Coordinates of all heavy atoms in Angstrom, one line a residue:
L1 N 88.4 80.2 93.2 CA 88.1 80.0 94.6 C 86.8 81.0 94.8 O 86.9 82.1 94.7 CB 89.1 80.3 95.5 CG 88.9 79.9 97.0 CD1 88.9 78.3 97.1 CD2 90.0 80.5 97.9
E2 N 85.8 80.3 95.2 CA 84.6 81.2 95.7 C 84.3 80.9 97.1 O 84.8 79.9 97.7 CB 83.3 80.8 94.7 CG 83.0 79.4 94.8 CD 81.8 79.0 93.9 OE1 81.5 79.9 93.0 OE2 81.2 78.0 94.0
N3 N 83.4 81.7 97.7 CA 83.0 81.6 99.1 C 84.3 81.7 100.0 O 84.4 80.9 100.9 CB 82.2 80.4 99.4 CG 80.9 80.5 98.8 OD1 80.2 81.7 98.7 ND2 80.3 79.4 98.3
H4 N 85.3 82.6 99.7 CA 86.5 82.6 100.3 C 86.6 83.4 101.6 O 87.6 83.4 102.4 CB 87.6 83.2 99.3 CG 87.1 84.4 98.6 ND1 86.9 85.6 99.2 CD2 86.8 84.6 97.3 CE1 86.5 86.5 98.3 NE2 86.4 85.9 97.2
G5 N 85.5 84.2 101.8 CA 85.4 84.9 103.1 C 86.1 86.2 103.2 O 86.1 86.9 104.2
V6 N 86.6 86.7 102.1 CA 87.3 88.0 102.1 C 86.2 89.0 101.8 O 85.5 89.0 100.6 CB 88.4 88.1 101.0 CG1 89.1 89.5 101.2 CG2 89.4 87.0 101.2
P7 N 86.0 90.0 102.7 CA 84.9 91.0 102.5 C 85.1 91.8 101.2 O 86.2 92.2 100.9 CB 85.0 91.9 103.7 CG 85.8 91.1 104.7 CD 86.7 90.2 104.0
L8 N 84.0 91.9 100.5 CA 84.0 92.7 99.3 C 84.4 94.1 99.5 O 85.1 94.8 98.7 CB 82.6 92.6 98.5 CG 82.5 93.4 97.2 CD1 83.4 92.9 96.2 CD2 81.0 93.3 96.7
A9 N 83.9 94.7 100.6 CA 84.2 96.1 101.0 C 85.7 96.2 101.2 O 86.4 97.2 100.8 CB 83.5 96.5 102.3
L10 N 86.4 95.2 101.7 CA 87.9 95.3 102.0 C 88.6 95.3 100.6 O 89.5 96.1 100.3 CB 88.3 94.1 102.7 CG 89.8 94.0 102.9 CD1 90.5 95.2 103.5 CD2 90.2 92.7 103.7
T11 N 88.2 94.3 99.7 CA 88.9 94.4 98.3 C 88.6 95.6 97.6 O 89.5 96.1 96.8 CB 88.5 93.0 97.6 OG1 87.1 93.0 97.4 CG2 88.9 91.8 98.2
S12 N 87.5 96.1 97.8 CA 87.1 97.4 96.9 C 88.0 98.5 97.5 O 88.5 99.3 96.7 CB 85.6 97.7 97.2 OG 84.8 96.7 96.5
K13 N 88.1 98.6 98.8 CA 88.9 99.7 99.4 C 90.4 99.5 99.0 O 91.1 100.5 98.7 CB 88.8 99.8 100.9 CG 87.4 100.2 101.3 CD 87.3 100.2 102.9 CE 85.9 100.6 103.4 NZ 85.9 100.5 104.9
L14 N 90.9 98.3 99.0 CA 92.2 98.0 98.6 C 92.5 98.3 97.2 O 93.6 98.9 96.8 CB 92.6 96.6 98.9 CG 94.1 96.1 98.7 CD1 95.0 97.0 99.6 CD2 94.3 94.6 99.0
Q15 N 91.5 98.1 96.3 CA 91.6 98.4 94.9 C 91.8 99.9 94.7 O 92.6 100.5 94.0 CB 90.5 97.8 94.2 CG 90.3 98.3 92.7 CD 91.0 97.4 91.7 OE1 91.4 96.4 92.0 NE2 91.0 97.9 90.5
E16 N 90.9 100.6 95.5 CA 90.9 102.1 95.3 C 92.2 102.7 95.8 O 92.7 103.6 95.1 CB 89.7 102.5 96.1 CG 89.5 104.2 96.1 CD 88.3 104.6 97.0 OE1 87.5 103.8 97.3 OE2 88.2 105.8 97.2
I17 N 92.7 102.3 97.0 CA 93.9 102.9 97.4 C 95.1 102.5 96.6 O 96.1 103.3 96.4 CB 94.1 102.6 99.0 CG1 95.2 103.6 99.6 CG2 94.5 101.1 99.1 CD1 94.7 104.9 99.8
S18 N 95.2 101.3 96.1 CA 96.2 100.9 95.2 C 96.2 101.6 93.9 O 97.4 102.2 93.5 CB 96.0 99.4 94.9 OG 96.1 98.6 96.0
E19 N 95.1 101.9 93.3 CA 95.0 102.7 92.1 C 95.5 104.2 92.4 O 96.2 104.8 91.6 CB 93.6 102.8 91.6 CG 93.2 101.5 90.9 CD 91.8 101.5 90.4 OE1 91.3 102.7 90.1 OE2 91.1 100.5 90.2
S20 N 95.1 104.7 93.6 CA 95.5 106.0 94.0 C 97.0 106.2 94.1 O 97.5 107.1 93.6 CB 94.8 106.4 95.3 OG 95.2 107.6 95.7
L21 N 97.6 105.2 94.8 CA 99.1 105.3 94.9 C 99.8 105.1 93.6 O 100.9 105.8 93.4 CB 99.5 104.2 95.9 CG 99.2 104.5 97.4 CD1 99.5 103.3 98.2 CD2 100.1 105.7 98.0
L22 N 99.4 104.1 92.8 CA 100.0 103.8 91.6 C 99.8 104.9 90.5 O 100.6 105.0 89.5 CB 99.6 102.4 90.9 CG 100.2 101.3 91.7 CD1 99.5 100.0 91.4 CD2 101.7 101.1 91.4
S23 N 98.9 105.8 90.7 CA 98.6 106.8 89.8 C 99.4 108.1 90.1 O 99.4 109.1 89.3 CB 97.1 107.2 89.7 OG 96.7 107.7 90.9
L24 N 100.2 108.0 91.2 CA 101.1 109.2 91.5 C 102.1 109.4 90.4 O 102.5 108.3 89.6 CB 101.8 108.9 92.8 CG 100.9 109.0 94.1 CD1 101.7 108.5 95.3 CD2 100.3 110.4 94.4
P25 N 102.7 110.5 90.2 CA 103.8 110.6 89.3 C 104.9 109.6 89.5 O 105.2 109.3 90.7 CB 104.3 112.1 89.5 CG 103.1 112.8 90.0 CD 102.4 111.8 90.9
F26 N 105.6 109.2 88.5 CA 106.6 108.2 88.6 C 107.7 108.5 89.7 O 108.0 107.7 90.5 CB 107.3 107.9 87.2 CG 108.5 107.1 87.3 CD1 108.3 105.7 87.6 CD2 109.8 107.6 87.0 CE1 109.5 104.9 87.5 CE2 110.8 106.8 86.9 CZ 110.7 105.4 87.3
E27 N 108.2 109.8 89.6 CA 109.2 110.2 90.6 C 108.6 110.1 92.0 O 109.4 109.8 92.9 CB 109.7 111.5 90.2 CG 110.5 111.6 88.9 CD 109.6 111.5 87.7 OE1 108.3 111.7 87.8 OE2 110.1 111.3 86.6
N28 N 107.4 110.5 92.2 CA 106.8 110.5 93.6 C 106.8 109.1 94.1 O 107.0 108.8 95.3 CB 105.4 111.0 93.5 CG 105.5 112.6 93.2 OD1 106.2 113.1 92.3 ND2 104.7 113.4 94.0
K29 N 106.4 108.1 93.3 CA 106.3 106.7 93.7 C 107.8 106.2 94.2 O 107.8 105.6 95.2 CB 105.8 105.8 92.6 CG 104.3 106.0 92.4 CD 103.8 105.1 91.3 CE 104.1 105.6 89.9 NZ 103.3 105.0 88.9
R30 N 108.7 106.6 93.4 CA 110.1 106.1 93.7 C 110.5 106.7 95.1 O 111.0 106.0 96.0 CB 111.1 106.5 92.7 CG 110.9 105.6 91.4 CD 112.1 105.7 90.5 NE 112.4 107.1 90.2 CZ 113.5 107.5 89.4 NH1 114.3 106.5 89.0 NH2 113.6 108.7 89.1
E31 N 110.2 108.0 95.3 CA 110.6 108.7 96.5 C 109.8 108.2 97.7 O 110.3 108.1 98.8 CB 110.5 110.2 96.2 CG 111.4 110.8 95.3 CD 111.1 112.3 95.0 OE1 110.1 112.8 95.7 OE2 111.7 112.9 94.1
L32 N 108.5 108.0 97.5 CA 107.7 107.6 98.6 C 108.1 106.3 99.3 O 108.1 106.1 100.5 CB 106.2 107.4 98.1 CG 105.2 107.2 99.2 CD1 105.1 108.3 100.2 CD2 103.8 106.9 98.5
F33 N 108.7 105.4 98.5 CA 109.1 104.1 99.0 C 110.6 104.0 99.5 O 111.1 103.0 99.8 CB 108.7 103.0 98.1 CG 107.3 102.7 98.0 CD1 106.5 103.4 97.2 CD2 106.6 101.8 99.0 CE1 105.1 103.2 97.2 CE2 105.4 101.6 99.0 CZ 104.5 102.3 98.1
T34 N 111.2 105.2 99.4 CA 112.7 105.2 99.7 C 113.0 106.3 100.8 O 113.7 106.0 101.7 CB 113.6 105.5 98.5 OG1 113.2 106.7 97.9 CG2 113.5 104.4 97.5
A35 N 112.3 107.3 100.7 CA 112.6 108.4 101.7 C 112.2 108.0 103.2 O 112.8 108.5 104.1 CB 111.7 109.7 101.3
V36 N 111.2 107.1 103.3 CA 110.8 106.8 104.7 C 111.3 105.5 105.1 O 111.0 105.0 106.1 CB 109.2 106.7 104.7 CG1 108.5 108.0 104.5 CG2 108.7 105.6 103.7
K37 N 112.4 105.0 104.3 CA 113.0 103.7 104.6 C 112.0 102.6 104.9 O 111.9 101.8 105.8 CB 113.9 103.8 105.9 CG 115.0 104.9 105.8 CD 115.9 104.9 106.9 CE 117.0 106.0 106.9 NZ 117.8 106.0 105.6
S38 N 111.1 102.5 103.9 CA 110.0 101.6 104.0 C 110.4 100.2 103.7 O 111.2 100.0 102.7 CB 108.9 102.0 102.9 OG 107.9 101.1 102.8
P39 N 109.8 99.2 104.3 CA 110.1 97.8 104.0 C 109.4 97.4 102.6 O 109.6 96.4 101.9 CB 109.4 97.0 105.1 CG 108.4 97.9 105.7 CD 109.0 99.3 105.5
L40 N 108.4 98.3 102.2 CA 107.7 98.2 100.9 C 108.7 98.8 99.8 O 109.5 99.5 100.0 CB 106.4 98.9 100.9 CG 105.2 98.3 101.7 CD1 105.5 98.1 103.1 CD2 104.0 99.2 101.4
S41 N 108.5 98.2 98.6 CA 109.3 98.7 97.6 C 108.5 98.9 96.3 O 107.4 98.3 96.1 CB 110.5 97.7 97.2 OG 110.0 96.5 96.8
Y42 N 108.9 99.8 95.4 CA 108.2 100.0 94.1 C 109.2 99.5 93.1 O 110.4 99.6 93.0 CB 108.1 101.6 93.9 CG 107.7 102.0 92.5 CD1 106.4 101.6 92.0 CD2 108.6 102.7 91.8 CE1 106.1 102.0 90.7 CE2 108.2 103.1 90.4 CZ 107.0 102.7 89.9 OH 106.6 103.1 88.7
F43 N 108.6 98.8 92.1 CA 109.3 98.2 91.0 C 108.6 98.4 89.7 O 107.4 98.7 89.7 CB 109.5 96.6 91.2 CG 108.1 95.9 91.2 CD1 107.7 95.3 90.1 CD2 107.5 95.7 92.4 CE1 106.5 94.6 90.1 CE2 106.3 95.0 92.4 CZ 105.8 94.4 91.2
W44 N 109.4 98.3 88.6 CA 108.7 98.5 87.3 C 109.6 97.7 86.3 O 110.8 97.5 86.4 CB 108.5 99.9 86.9 CG 109.8 100.7 86.8 CD1 110.5 101.3 87.8 CD2 110.6 100.9 85.6 NE1 111.6 101.9 87.4 CE2 111.7 101.7 86.1 CE3 110.5 100.5 84.3 CZ2 112.7 102.1 85.1 CZ3 111.4 100.9 83.5 CH2 112.5 101.7 83.8

């Protein structure tokens, strides 16, 4: 799909923050998504 209208700046920022979160130590990632009772979850 081309000309989809999703801003390049948005996808670039999302890529950057996703890489930053996923590069955290394994134990930190597990704790981050459980300690705050987040609706988000970490899987592997």
